[in-house]
Amino acid sequence: PTQARAEWVIANPPSGSFELDYGDATTLEHWTWCDALFMAPPVYMKLYNITGDKKFIRFMDKEYKATYNYLFDKEDNLFYRDHRYFTMKEANGAKVFWGRGNGWVLGGLVELLRELPAKSKYRPFYQDLFQKLCRRIAPLQNKDGFWHASLLDPASYPSPETSCSGFFVYALAYGINEGLLPKEEFMPVVEKGWQALV
């Protein structure tokens, strides 16, 4: 059933707007909110590896890059949750980047990198994005080891955000273990985050 559904989606490609509106189901056809980059792309990637059918990886890559081009802020190297946040500001004047949303993206990238062969022509984009996000996320860790709901205005959301912290520790540890991130730079961040979560 999973394969049949994915094949139906590919045969009936998304045509809705990227401006997410929960009252309009067509705006849920594309991956119009950053959490979706955890939910959908790894499924298509795994189906490609199971079946060998390139339509799955081609569709995944096309849709992923469409979402990246729409929701990724190339100045701040973070993902907006969805288009409604483009013009919002935090109390400190910073842009609104949701901790858990960026956690979903990094977690999804780990799942993609686990499946993408080292010599795949598709791999460089996802590996580069993974490394870029990790480098951006690591210095946003708070002194207590946690990250917060708002990545650029933690003072306005003082409660620790364990879900994004869990995702970030997971992704950073994966990066170290796979040789994608320098251990001496990122291991202290992982250890501090892990201790906070424990």
Side-chain angles (χ1 to χ4, degrees), residues 4 26 39 58 69 79 89 116 126 130 145 152 164 174 190:
T26 66
M39 300 170 185
R58 287 178 184 141
N69 287 328
F79 279 86
K89 299 290 184 193
L116 273 164
Y126 298 96
F130 172 80
L152 302 186
C164 76
Y174 169 82
V190 169

Side-chain angles (χ1 to χ4, degrees), residues 21 50 58 60 95 100 111 132 177 194:
D21 176 357
I50 291 166
R58 287 178 184 141
M60 182 281 294
K95 297 174 188 174
R100 188 163 62 222
E111 297 309 302
K132 185 181 292 184
N177 289 339
W194 176 252

Side-chain angles (χ1 to χ4, degrees), residues 162-182:
T162 54
S163 53
C164 76
S165 298
F167 267 128
F168 295 153
V169 168
Y170 166 68
L172 295 172
Y174 169 82
I176 293 167
N177 289 339
E178 293 298 310
L180 300 175
L181 301 173

Side-chain angles (χ1 to χ4, degrees), residues 153-164:
D153 188 12
S156 290
Y157 306 88
S159 297
E161 223 288 17
T162 54
S163 53
C164 76

Side-chain angles (χ1 to χ4, degrees), residues 64-80 86 95 97 102 125 129 132-133 136 152:
Y64 196 107
K65 287 175 179 170
T67 300
Y68 164 83
N69 287 328
Y70 192 69
L71 294 181
F72 187 69
D73 186 301
K74 293 174 180 67
E75 290 178 2
D76 278 288
N77 289 331
L78 293 167
F79 279 86
Y80 289 103
F86 288 169
K95 297 174 188 174
F97 294 110
N102 282 273
F125 170 82
L129 180 58
K132 185 181 292 184
L133 267 176
R136 180 65 172 116
L152 302 186

Side-chain angles (χ1 to χ4, degrees), residues 17-36 39 81-85 98:
S17 167
F18 271 89
E19 293 190 359
L20 178 64
D21 176 357
Y22 289 108
D24 179 356
T26 66
T27 69
L28 298 170
E29 292 174 354
H30 288 288
W31 303 332
T32 51
W33 67 110
C34 67
D35 314 31
M39 300 170 185
R81 197 273 176 183
D82 59 67
H83 84 282
R84 297 171 299 172
Y85 293 83
W98 188 39

